Amino acid sequence: MRSSPLAELLFLDFDGVLCDSLEECYRSSWLTGAGICITGETPPDPPFDQAYRARFDACRPFIRSGEDYLVVHEWAGRGSVPSDQDAFDATLAVKGPVVLAELKKRLYAVRDGLLEKHHTRWLSWNPLYQGIGQALKAQVNNPSVWILSTKKAEFIVEILAHHGVSWPLDRTLYTGVRKKLEIIAEIAGSRPSVLIDDQIDHLDFGHPNCQCYLALWGYISPTAAQMAIDGLSLAQAVALISSFPKVPSLGG
């Protein structure tokens, strides 16, 4: 781990870094793909065996955005797992951006329904990693610390509130289709920053202004672990988040 003593801004991915949301993604994406309407009735459990779930979980390192999980169900249903990121991306390319956008729309509609009609149940599928809650509580009022995610910001704030963290919506950013480092550059300018993410494609280990770290406790592939120049353990990340300084020039 290289230190970043002059860093003024800290950006944190959410899924796989702060929150172990795999259970929620598994269930919500299955409900979406199955076309199950979310009503006041308790939603059914996915009707799959342990082998299916193991294949689904094995695909987690290839995920960049929520709609990808519906493609993961297709792989798991065929009884196979992609050999690498390129194989998974080839499946996404066949779908194309229009279909993927529609899948995302449907997934978020299901999540909205679950949050509205089964609020506590849906939130329970989103545990935080050990120590993360306390680390974030220490930084709630620090304008130097941001959450940057491919998950809708309102969902993130709801999940954190469920765990007793009153995180501000204005420092919770949904990336959409934009690159994370591009967004960081807009916010930070030339100020040195740190990004922690578990998807290596979001990271640039040679970036001149942003120190990138791969979250080694997240769902990462062996290939990503080998490619990572800098990685953090969960304990290291918790320590970094907890102690990240407030920069006076940012106000607050």
Side-chain angles (χ1 to χ4, degrees):
M1 169 184 170
R2 284 187 290 162
S3 61
S4 301
L6 301 178
E8 297 185 18
L9 291 162
L10 173 61
F11 294 89
L12 306 167
D13 179 38
F14 187 72
D15 296 300
V17 173
L18 305 179
C19 175
D20 184 1
S21 58
L22 186 57
E23 185 69 18
E24 186 278 327
C25 294
Y26 172 65
R27 290 175 174 272
S28 294
S29 59
W30 173 72
L31 290 166
T32 303
I36 295 173
C37 182
I38 305 302
T39 67
E41 298 291 328
T42 301
D45 294 327
F48 304 121
D49 59 18
Q50 291 183 347
Y52 182 102
R53 179 60 192 264
R55 293 192 296 272
F56 183 93
D57 291 358
C59 293
R60 174 58 180 82
F62 307 127
I63 297 297
R64 296 191 188 89
S65 188
E67 64 273 19
D68 295 355
Y69 284 105
L70 281 93
V71 178
V72 168
H73 277 292
E74 293 182 12
W75 277 91
R78 292 196 297 266
S80 59
V81 175
S83 58
D84 53 27
Q85 187 73 57
D86 288 343
F88 185 76
D89 289 349
T91 308
L92 299 181
V94 170
K95 295 287 185 188
V98 174
V99 170
L100 291 174
E102 177 60 25
L103 293 179
K104 174 178 277 191
K105 180 180 177 181
R106 290 168 52 198
L107 174 62
Y108 274 105
V110 166
R111 283 174 165 165
D112 284 334
L114 289 168
L115 196 56
E116 177 187 354
K117 299 179 184 299
H118 305 281
H119 190 263
T120 302
R121 182 179 178 84
W122 185 82
L123 291 170
S124 72
W125 298 338
N126 291 278
L128 301 183
Y129 287 104
Q130 185 174 3
I132 289 295
Q134 287 302 117
L136 290 177
K137 286 179 182 179
Q139 300 294 3
V140 163
N141 297 315
N142 186 349
S144 300
V145 182
W146 297 65
I147 295 173
L148 183 60
S149 175
T150 58
K151 175 170 278 178
K152 194 164 77 169
E154 290 79 5
F155 289 154
I156 292 172
V157 170
E158 284 276 358
I159 292 166
L160 292 178
H162 175 71
H163 294 286
V165 182
S166 301
W167 195 262
L169 183 62
D170 61 359
R171 294 203 331 267
T172 311
L173 302 181
Y174 168 60
T175 62
V177 298
R178 301 184 64 199
K179 294 184 180 298
K180 292 188 176 183
L181 288 169
E182 175 187 322
I183 296 171
I184 290 172
E186 288 185 1
I187 296 171
S190 61
R191 288 175 295 182
S193 305
V194 173
L195 169 62
I196 304 175
D197 205 296
D198 70 328
Q199 170 52 264
I200 197 166
D201 288 351
H202 294 315
L203 304 174
D204 176 1
F205 295 105
H207 197 283
N209 295 321
C210 187
Q211 175 68 60
C212 294
Y213 291 111
L214 183 67
L216 298 178
W217 67 95
Y219 295 95
I220 61 173
S221 67
T223 301
Q226 293 169 3
M227 291 172 59
I229 296 173
D230 288 298
L232 293 178
S233 68
L234 178 56
Q236 288 173 321
V238 167
L240 175 59
I241 296 167
S242 299
S243 62
F244 200 82
K246 180 186 291 188
V247 178
S249 62
L250 294 177

